[in-house]
Amino acid sequence: MVSLTRQMIEIRSILNKISNKMSESISLPAIVVIGSQSSGKSSVLESIVGKDFLPKGDNMVTRRPIELTLINTKENIDEEDHQLNEKKKRTKIFTGGDIDDDYLVDFPQLREYNISSFSKVKSLLVDLNLQVSTKEFISEEPIQLVIKSSKVPDLQLIDLPGYIQIESVDQPAELKHKIRSLCDKYLQKPNIILAISSADVDLANSTALKAARQMDQKGERTLGVITKLDLVSPGQAAQMLLNKKYPLKMGYVGVVNNNKKTTEKGYFEKNKLFFKNCQFSNRKLRKKLITILEMTMSKELKPTFIKLQQELDNTSYRFKVEFNDRQLTPRTYLLSQIDVLKLAVKELQDLFSRSELKSILRQELDQEVLNILAANYWNDLENENVTNLVGNTSDEKALSYWHKNLELSTSSLTKLGIGRMTTSIITNSILSELNNILYVLQPNSFKQQGFLFTLVNDIAIQVLNKNFYSTADQVENCIKPFKYEVEIEQRDWDDSKQNSVLLLKEELKQVEENKFLLKNLLTGNGGSKQLQQLLQFIKQRVALANGKVLEMNKLEYDGGFSKILLEKGKKYIDLEKREQLLKFRIKFINGKQCRDAKSMDKCPEIYLKAINEKLISTAVLFLNIELLSDFFYNFPIELDSKISELSIDDIEMFAKQDNKISKHIELQKRKDLLELALNKMNNLLLYEKISKKQNKNL
Ligand code: GDP
């Protein structure tokens, strides 16, 4: 049977998970250790633990209480473990003296667990103490320390700061107040007080006994410990232990902590006769502490049970009123959110239908067609000399101009790297749609910077990347024939004719808009008259330059316009020309001259647009099979697998980003933990009842 203390420690740690305040309000008894500096307090604690673990030295003053939980691990060690431990013990010499594998230490507040190096334990204790500034002197916030070993008993000890004893006259009032409140907090019922006094100091002056008496006037909860018996005569020592001068119900235990001169065992054997009716030795002290704590715990069972029950009732009521008893854990919440995400991604699949894919690609590739047209034709056509060629169909020079340019343009278009280009357009488009979905989802962690945002994006990128290059290659391979020859049927030509007119009209609209904006900008400064003057000035200068009348001073003359204004004016004129040109081309390709594919040389807009459509259709075919089907199939699978790898902490962090969910989860957790604690306590009470009955029957 696991000791009662151990079970209560477990219950306490369950309550601790709710909040430290919770375990304070439902107080399970602990042993509070007090003693003035150098009284031998550290030696006593270390003897109970069996290990040198407290930082020492003149500068080291404890500023915070240490809540020391000892857990006996003996029952848990089976034969195999035992052999392992023995082996480890043998190799200990090589691992360094401060490491003991039979001791594992936890600092729950620091999330540091299973430390086996005691120099690390000491340094963490120093760090935690130094968190309290010298200005504050002491803090009520305890350091939690759990030591698990087969060599320690199940005990809960609280080591109070050494300051508590130095209540001297020159201390500031504020410190006195702090010490008082710390004492009030820890030395009250149902805690047991372990008051440590040194034998070489008169008990009347023992600060530990004084402090104990203030909180436990009848001496019912105080156990006295007298250290350093070896420093006084055995007779004197025995007198102190006999509990006559300052009686305590639980009496005094005398100890001699190992020092250079004598061992405890040697000392008591030598002076056996003196200590006949006394309680002595560290062993005795340990045993006594275990029994006292068990008894006190047992007494506290019922009242604690009632308090817990009340707490649970309150919590359950709140849970019903506020959350309608709806069960929610961080994981179920996360999974429900992931379901929403998956559903939205599934809907996204419909959005990426073939026709939608085409229109996404068209947006970008049409722009490429316009760029090629501008580079290979329009810039030329703006030049008046070439414009003259347009009507002149029989002119050989003209024919060759149109033919060569069309070949050049077709090759530019088909050699753009359509494979990579289209694959990356669609990849980016999926990612940006995914971001839109994430943005609409509720918890912030789905959004920028939230860890799920990054996680989901990374998964999407990973799934898409897997097929990126093979898809790009496939597309590129399949458009290869178009690099050599393209056959265009009359129906395709007619469609393309209409579409290219629309495309040019769209472009014309853009040019007109830009022109309009620029005009507003230019007339804003000085009215339309000044604009006319500016344009005229620029046109004249261009004419001068074109006509090669290079009168340098005239070309450099700025007509009183600023450089920026001149640049803007030039741009305006360019737009004007482009506008005229587009109007002309729209009329031209709409007309009889572009009736069929035979006239493709002179109607490059229609021809290129027709090729563009073929490229797009081919690309879409493969993008759909190679990239999209695979993405929509594998993304949810990858998502599930990555989600299942998330740590509990990550999931909780995610859920708690939403305030309402966080409250819901907290309350549910509180309720669950209270139920668990209460359940354990109920079992303990039942067990107590049965064993009492059995004892009676015996
Ligand atoms: P603390 O300041 O109350 O924690 O006291 P320590 O345990 O650090 O002990 C203070 C000093 O007293 C140390 O030098 C110990 O070695 C010494 N000491 C502790 N117990 C005994 C004892 O039983 N006999 C003797 N002779 N010295 C002791």
Side-chain angles (χ1 to χ4, degrees), residues 341-369:
L341 172 65
K342 281 200 227 160
L343 206 70
V345 171
K346 218 177 148 107
E347 279 166 13
L348 191 64
Q349 190 165 12
D350 301 334
L351 204 73
F352 278 88
S353 65
R354 268 195 210 186
S355 65
E356 186 59 30
L357 283 176
K358 278 187 188 174
S359 95
I360 295 169
L361 291 181
R362 203 175 282 129
Q363 266 175 21
E364 306 254 346
L365 283 175
D366 274 354
Q367 189 54 50
E368 295 293 340
V369 170

Side-chain angles (χ1 to χ4, degrees), residues 105-158:
V105 182
D106 299 343
F107 284 85
Q109 289 152 322
L110 302 177
R111 291 172 176 258
E112 292 264 9
Y113 299 99
N114 297 330
I115 304 167
S116 57
S117 152
F118 273 83
S119 58
K120 182 160 184 203
V121 172
K122 280 187 194 177
S123 87
L124 286 177
L125 279 174
V126 172
D127 291 349
L128 285 165
N129 262 311
L130 293 182
Q131 279 178 1
V132 182
S133 70
T134 37
K135 240 182 175 175
E136 286 175 89
F137 294 109
I138 54 166
S139 153
E140 285 192 9
E141 192 66 37
I143 296 170
Q144 289 169 355
L145 180 66
V146 182
I147 300 182
K148 301 168 285 186
S149 165
S150 65
K151 293 177 185 152
V152 297
D154 290 322
L155 275 182
Q156 181 111 52
L157 297 155
I158 294 166

